[in-house]
Amino acid sequence: MGVAAIKEYSFESADRLENFHGNQLLYIGWDQHLLFCAPFCLPFPPSMRFGDIIDKVLPGVFGYHPDFAKVDWSKVEWLKSSQPWQPDFNKTLAELGLKHKDVLRFRTPGLTGIKGSAS
């Protein structure tokens, strides 16, 4: 991520890759689900299978939302850095080309979050 500073930026970023002991940060957000105000930033080893994130990590992150149990992962629409993207759940993050601080968002057709009543 670039930095726009009004003064000289003369120190190293604290969230650079080498500070995460072999892990890389991945931002994951669920579109249209405002219970989660921003993507979560999670550390993963590049050797982790994408399917393990779906099966083992995301339930602990998003699972308390009532829509999460209804997600059909075969119909989820993925965005990587705001571009359409289709992951292979059997490949690792490295095999999928995911890098430190990449941003993934997913959309769940038919599941649009908790809707308030119109006033």
Side-chain angles (χ1 to χ4, degrees), residues 27-97:
Y27 291 85
I28 303 176
W30 189 5
D31 283 1
Q32 298 179 323
H33 287 74
L34 299 179
L35 183 62
F36 313 106
C37 65
F40 286 89
C41 182
L42 304 162
F44 298 115
S47 60
M48 187 170 192
R49 252 183 12 94
F50 192 78
D52 288 336
I53 293 172
I54 303 302
D55 296 338
K56 298 176 183 175
V57 177
L58 294 190
V61 175
F62 297 110
Y64 54 92
H65 192 289
D67 279 353
F68 190 79
K70 303 172 194 171
V71 173
D72 179 347
W73 292 101
S74 68
K75 295 181 180 175
V76 166
E77 299 167 356
W78 289 94
L79 299 170
K80 177 184 171 199
S81 300
S82 298
Q83 299 298 314
W85 182 70
Q86 188 57 51
D88 179 334
F89 287 20
N90 291 313
K91 290 190 175 181
T92 66
L93 301 183
E95 290 171 328
L96 291 169

